[in-house]
Amino acid sequence: MQVVMCTRWITVGGGVEIQMLQMNRELARRGHRIELLFNLDGELGPEFRSFCHSTHQVPSFEISRKQVVRDLIRLIPAVRAAVGARPDVMYLNDTSQLPFGLLSGLVARTPVVCHLHSDYALRNGFSLRMLDRLSERASRLVACSAFIREQYIEAGVEPSKLTVVHNGIELESYPPASATQRAAARQALGLPEDVFVALFFGRLDAAKGVEVLLKAWRHLALPPDRARMLVVGSPALDPDPAGRLKELHALAPPGCHWLPARRDVVTPLHAADVVVVPSTEDEGLARVVIEGLAAGLPVVASRVGGIPEVLNGDLAPFLFERASAVELADRLASLVNWRSDRPDLGERCHAHAAKRFGIGTMVDGIERILEEAVA
């Protein structure tokens, strides 16, 4: 199958960018021919180029209401590249690409599939007219969770076109750590070897709930010689990143260890005893939850968006109510001694991720949707 894959950037951003890299790499391994269109090049570029048949950097995929003529002209290179690839299917990674995708699909007489990773478009003025066109003209829509599917259905999208495919990860990239590996990871990150370590990994923006985590850590009141909070990340959306960091550091109680954003998630996971995802805004699914479970760690997370679709069954008690620092502190307190009190918990967390959230399971679902759109 000839797939024209469209994404805004191939630089290191968040979980969505890594997700699309791993998913398309698996599609290529299965024999599909991937033609990549993107706006912004970056660190992930060499990895995409290693398996894509071709890559094309184009100026834009978007059309604004105020500059329609100008933006249509800027779309020409992208439309030309998409049509010239003679695709069997157009695969869009973002609702902002829909004007380009629907236009290119019309010219190339090609079905269009759009992946919905969040409800960002609905929360930020996505027009009802565009939703009507999305529902009418897109062949298939992929929602990363049942929560996202319901959000778009409530906004007016045709339910029969929306299919849930949960995110998946390359499980072998997130192996559980042995005691020796845990000690080595802590030494590499400057952490004591014999303390309880809770890990936050992600953007240090307000929506990720860092303030809630810092309040919970203060409420937990464990001394630094018994516990450390490892915060790995940087502000991404704040107009004053340095000011944002200064503000967070001022709120931090003793025992917080700060590291800037990094591509390597495995070393922090190996150093940790528990992963914390305290998001205050709805998440499509939160990839870091799956990564933590795959690494054999319990994950404590807000009951928001699609996260309860991952932390369910016997892992549901690790959820806490949005923005509740007291509940978060209680969940962390219950896990301080899990390695001795519940020695099988890490294995159960890994098995849960392996059963439902491997990259193969995800690509099975995506591949089926693409083939149905072509048929």
Side-chain angles (χ1 to χ4, degrees):
M1 188 190 311
Q2 182 94 340
V3 181
V4 170
M5 170 66 201
C6 307
T7 189
R8 281 182 292 172
W9 47 67
I10 51 176
T11 184
V12 174
V16 171
E17 289 72 42
I18 300 297
Q19 190 73 64
M20 300 313 292
L21 170 69
Q22 294 182 354
M23 188 201 71
N24 280 279
R25 182 160 54 204
E26 180 60 23
L27 284 171
R29 286 174 181 160
R30 298 186 181 194
H32 301 292
R33 180 165 158 160
I34 310 297
E35 309 273 352
L36 179 69
L37 271 61
F38 64 95
N39 298 151
L40 182 64
D41 206 344
E43 188 177 335
L44 298 180
E47 294 186 58
F48 272 103
R49 292 183 180 93
S50 70
F51 63 82
C52 289
H53 183 264
S54 68
T55 60
H56 304 275
Q57 187 169 11
V58 296
S60 177
F61 293 125
E62 301 180 27
I63 298 178
S64 65
R65 297 179 185 177
K66 296 181 179 179
Q67 299 286 345
V68 174
V69 175
R70 181 205 65 181
D71 291 343
L72 280 171
I73 293 172
R74 294 186 71 209
L75 278 185
I76 291 174
V79 174
R80 183 183 294 122
V83 174
R86 300 181 180 276
D88 294 309
V89 62
M90 294 280 300
Y91 185 30
L92 313 179
N93 187 35
D94 193 286
T95 50
S96 67
Q97 302 158 8
L98 277 167
F100 150 77
L102 296 176
L103 176 60
S104 300
L106 183 64
V107 175
R109 301 176 65 84
T110 300
V112 176
V113 174
C114 185
H115 205 131
L116 307 174
H117 299 282
S118 72
D119 62 347
Y120 177 84
L122 302 180
R123 290 186 282 109
N124 289 271
F126 200 63
S127 71
L128 294 177
R129 183 180 179 187
M130 182 55 72
L131 280 174
D132 289 340
R133 289 180 179 273
L134 168 62
S135 185
E136 176 186 353
R137 297 187 181 180
S139 299
R140 294 289 190 278
L141 302 169
V142 183
C144 69
S145 64
F147 168 79
I148 293 299
R149 182 178 187 271
E150 289 305 314
Q151 296 298 103
Y152 277 87
I153 289 174
E154 288 179 13
V157 174
E158 171 56 45
S160 64
K161 292 193 175 184
L162 274 160
T163 302
V164 175
V165 178
H166 286 132
N167 293 340
I169 65 172
E170 294 177 341
L171 293 163
E172 64 276 10
S173 298
Y174 307 91
S178 64
T180 301
Q181 289 171 321
R182 185 161 59 253
R186 292 185 176 191
Q187 183 178 26
L189 299 179
L191 293 166
E193 184 177 337
D194 57 349
V195 299
F196 172 72
V197 176
L199 169 66
F200 172 92
F201 192 104
R203 293 188 286 110
L204 301 186
D205 297 312
K208 296 300 181 180
V210 189
E211 286 90 344
V212 177
L213 174 57
L214 296 177
K215 290 177 183 176
W217 196 248
R218 187 178 296 278
H219 185 80
L220 194 60
L222 292 173
D225 61 347
R226 286 191 56 204
R228 294 292 179 94
M229 169 58 65
L230 175 59
V231 181
V232 182
S234 303
L237 304 178
D238 197 286
D240 180 15
R244 171 69 175 163
L245 278 176
K246 185 177 180 180
E247 175 185 300
L248 291 174
H249 286 185
L251 293 173
C256 290
H257 189 83
W258 301 82
L259 293 173
R262 57 194 286 159
R263 173 86 184 273
D264 168 31
V265 66
V266 175
T267 302
L269 285 171
H270 279 183
D273 293 300
V274 61
V275 175
V276 188
V277 185
S279 302
T280 55
E281 290 187 4
D282 290 326
E283 298 268 6
L285 201 67
R287 176 184 173 89
V288 68
V289 176
I290 303 172
E291 292 172 335
L293 295 175
L297 299 173
V299 179
V300 176
S302 306
R303 189 180 282 105
V304 299
I307 291 177
E309 296 173 43
V310 182
L311 293 180
N312 53 20
D314 62 353
L315 300 183
F318 298 147
L319 292 166
F320 65 94
E321 291 304 316
R322 186 193 315 256
S324 176
V326 173
E327 280 196 35
L328 171 52
D330 288 344
R331 302 297 183 273
L332 289 173
S334 72
L335 291 167
V336 169
N337 298 310
W338 74 264
R339 292 190 186 276
S340 58
D341 296 345
R342 288 184 273 179
D344 66 330
L345 179 57
E347 185 177 338
R348 288 193 285 116
C349 290
H350 175 78
H352 184 82
K355 182 178 180 180
R356 297 182 52 207
F357 301 104
I359 193 68
T361 302
M362 177 188 182
V363 175
D364 286 345
I366 297 295
E367 191 175 38
R368 182 173 59 254
I369 290 167
L370 296 176
E371 289 172 348
E372 288 174 355
V374 172

